Amino acid sequence: AANILAVTYYVVYQTRRSENLSLRPKDFTLNREIISSTSAIGFPVFLLELITIATSLTLNNIAAGYGPVYVAAYGVIFKLGMLPKALTNGLCQGVQPLMGYTYAAKKAARLQKTIQLAGSYGTGITVFFVAILFLSGGSVLGIFNKEAAFLASGVPLLRISLISYLTLGITFIVTSLSQAVGKAVPTFAMSVVQGIIFIPAAFLASRMFGLWGFAWAWPVADILTMLLGIALFLFYRGEIYAEATPAAG
């Protein structure tokens, strides 16, 4: 019911206030440019959802091989990570329309400042929550399960996993920027690379190094994804800012 109300609100609001959105049948079109540009940005997001599901299933499947206590530990770790992840993702999604506007309006300086602020605040959010969870991991996990075996395995797994959350600010802002300015290649790459790295790495590390090798596969995959995001941003940065700068004369 909540989702239905939310969708209804946004449909009514956008169709009444927007100059570009319409639900009138006469305005419907199968323009090739619109379809291709929308698909180029939307399809990677769809792939990201699929890969997120596949990553979660892979992690749970491998963890189950080490015992139910590890499955439970990762379940709690995922729940704890939802807060910084949701806040950071919400921030980056929130500034996405602003980045799109400043890019289209040829306001390169404002676009640059928006990117810097969003990246800084997003990273600050994750660092804040990671510091709290790292220092109080045992107490926080104890809220969910006070058994000694759970805490003995859960605390080190939590601290290893926290490294992944430090990468979220940069990864999310690069993804949001790519979507905002219509760059299909970085959007696609940022959507699929984490899963492409993590899934085989998790199986390989588990086979070669056991539980702790498997535990490190997640943060390593996220660090490599972040580094790819930085590389893509540096590669496309000049092009994006040039396109967001008014033509001389």
Side-chain angles (χ1 to χ4, degrees):
N3 288 335
I4 294 174
L5 289 174
V7 170
T8 302
Y9 168 78
Y10 283 115
V11 168
V12 172
Y13 180 86
Q14 292 290 350
T15 52
R16 288 183 177 179
R17 299 292 184 91
S18 176
E19 297 178 358
N20 302 310
L21 295 178
S22 171
L23 294 179
R24 292 191 294 268
K26 70 182 186 66
D27 294 327
F28 179 75
T29 179
L30 290 175
N31 182 281
R32 180 179 296 179
E33 182 179 352
I34 294 175
I35 294 174
S36 61
S37 60
T38 302
S39 300
I41 300 302
F43 184 67
V45 178
F46 168 72
L47 282 180
L48 176 62
E49 295 299 323
L50 290 181
I51 290 175
T52 300
I53 295 172
T55 299
S56 178
L57 290 174
T58 299
L59 193 149
N60 286 330
N61 182 57
I62 297 177
Y66 294 102
V69 68
Y70 296 101
V71 178
Y74 271 117
V76 173
I77 291 169
F78 273 138
K79 294 296 183 184
L80 293 174
M82 285 178 65
L83 183 56
K85 186 174 183 178
L87 289 172
T88 307
N89 189 39
L91 172 68
C92 295
Q93 290 292 326
V95 300
Q96 184 174 320
L98 180 58
M99 291 190 293
Y101 166 74
T102 53
Y103 172 79
K106 307 292 185 182
K107 298 182 178 182
R110 188 176 179 187
L111 172 62
Q112 183 177 10
K113 185 175 182 180
T114 301
I115 295 169
Q116 291 172 346
L117 285 175
S120 299
Y121 280 115
T123 301
I125 289 171
T126 57
V127 169
F128 174 75
F129 280 100
V130 164
I132 291 176
L133 291 174
F134 187 88
L135 295 173
S136 60
S139 299
V140 174
L141 289 177
I143 296 173
F144 299 89
N145 192 327
K146 296 185 182 298
E147 292 183 10
F150 174 81
L151 295 176
S153 59
V155 171
L157 287 177
L158 172 64
R159 289 176 173 166
I160 292 173
S161 301
L162 288 175
I163 298 172
S164 293
Y165 297 114
L166 293 174
T167 68
L168 295 179
I170 295 175
T171 300
F172 284 158
I173 195 61
V174 171
T175 303
S176 293
L177 173 64
S178 303
Q179 294 172 340
V181 302
K183 300 298 182 185
V185 172
T187 301
F188 178 81
M190 294 301 293
S191 298
V192 302
V193 70
Q194 197 270 354
I196 290 175
I197 295 173
F198 171 74
I199 293 175
F203 283 106
L204 184 62
S206 178
R207 182 178 294 272
M208 293 179 63
F209 304 109
L211 171 66
W212 300 111
F214 159 65
W216 278 99
W218 180 13
V220 167
D222 281 344
I223 290 171
L224 293 176
T225 302
M226 180 190 69
L227 293 176
L228 173 65
I230 294 172
L232 287 170
F233 172 72
L234 294 175
F235 181 82
Y236 282 95
R237 178 178 56 180
E239 179 182 327
I240 291 171
Y241 289 152
E243 293 170 348
T245 302

